[in-house]
Amino acid sequence: MSTTITRAGVEALDRLRPLWLVLHHHHQAVGGPALGPYVDDAASWAARRALYTGFLDRGGFAVLAERDGQLAGYAMVAVTPADETLMPDTWRTGNRVAEVETLVIDPGARGAGLGTALLDRIDEELAADGVEDVLIGALVTNTDAIRLYERRGFRPAWLYLLRLGGRDGA
């Protein structure tokens, strides 16, 4: 199969919906009911699309993995001035910090190196833009993603704990 990795912007947003929902469902599967309550697909995509639009408007970017012309994965990267992150009071960073906000591969394309290819392209784009500091997150139960990120040099640094209301559907 022919694979291409390309940088994209706001013009690609609507193409991302099906894979975002794959990831939304994956979060539910690996998180289980203990990490719920979860929002429905429509609310999830509406919120995610708005978030992505904001990232792209402020200098972020997407990278798309396509196999034989079909979207097989993507990553969304936010680029933020360091003083707008949680980092300036703890770690020394450059002027801007990137966060890989989303990395998703279609289940039928997993294991073919697309996650690595997307991360390679992100590294290239950030290096060309002079951004050296990068964050990435994963649900603590998503051990496959964590292993991939650790192979790429990422190290655990922060852990969020949740206590959510709204379990009654309100």
Side-chain angles (χ1 to χ4, degrees):
M1 291 189 160
S2 171
T3 301
T4 59
I5 307 292
T6 56
R7 181 175 173 146
V10 71
E11 77 287 347
L13 278 179
D14 291 326
R15 294 185 63 206
L16 306 181
R17 182 183 187 277
L19 282 178
W20 166 254
L21 293 178
V22 164
L23 186 58
H24 179 55
H25 298 160
H26 179 69
H27 287 162
Q28 293 172 45
V30 299
L35 293 183
Y38 301 98
V39 299
D40 66 31
D41 288 356
S44 179
W45 175 243
R48 185 54 49 153
R49 191 181 194 291
L51 186 69
Y52 287 173
T53 299
F55 295 153
L56 296 171
D57 288 347
R58 292 184 301 279
F61 60 92
V63 287
L64 311 181
E66 296 181 90
R67 297 178 90 187
D68 294 329
Q70 298 296 314
L71 188 63
Y74 77 89
M76 179 63 67
V77 180
V79 180
T80 309
D83 61 354
E84 294 178 19
T85 71
L86 298 175
M87 301 175 82
D89 62 353
T90 303
W91 294 286
R92 288 187 207 166
T93 67
N95 293 332
R96 292 176 297 151
V97 175
E99 183 166 0
V100 181
E101 293 285 344
T102 306
L103 176 68
V104 58
I105 306 298
D106 183 88
R110 289 185 186 148
L114 292 180
T116 296
L118 287 169
L119 289 168
D120 287 345
R121 181 61 183 264
I122 289 167
D123 287 345
E124 291 169 12
E125 295 289 337
L126 292 173
D129 205 24
V131 177
E132 297 177 340
D133 304 301
V134 185
L135 309 168
I136 194 165
L139 291 175
V140 296
T141 54
N142 194 350
T143 56
D144 290 339
I146 292 168
R147 272 195 305 274
L148 170 62
Y149 304 152
E150 287 180 336
R151 284 194 308 267
R152 303 289 302 204
F154 291 95
R155 298 292 171 252
W158 197 269
L159 175 66
Y160 283 97
L161 302 172
L162 299 175
R163 182 178 62 207
L164 301 173
R167 291 188 184 275
D168 61 4

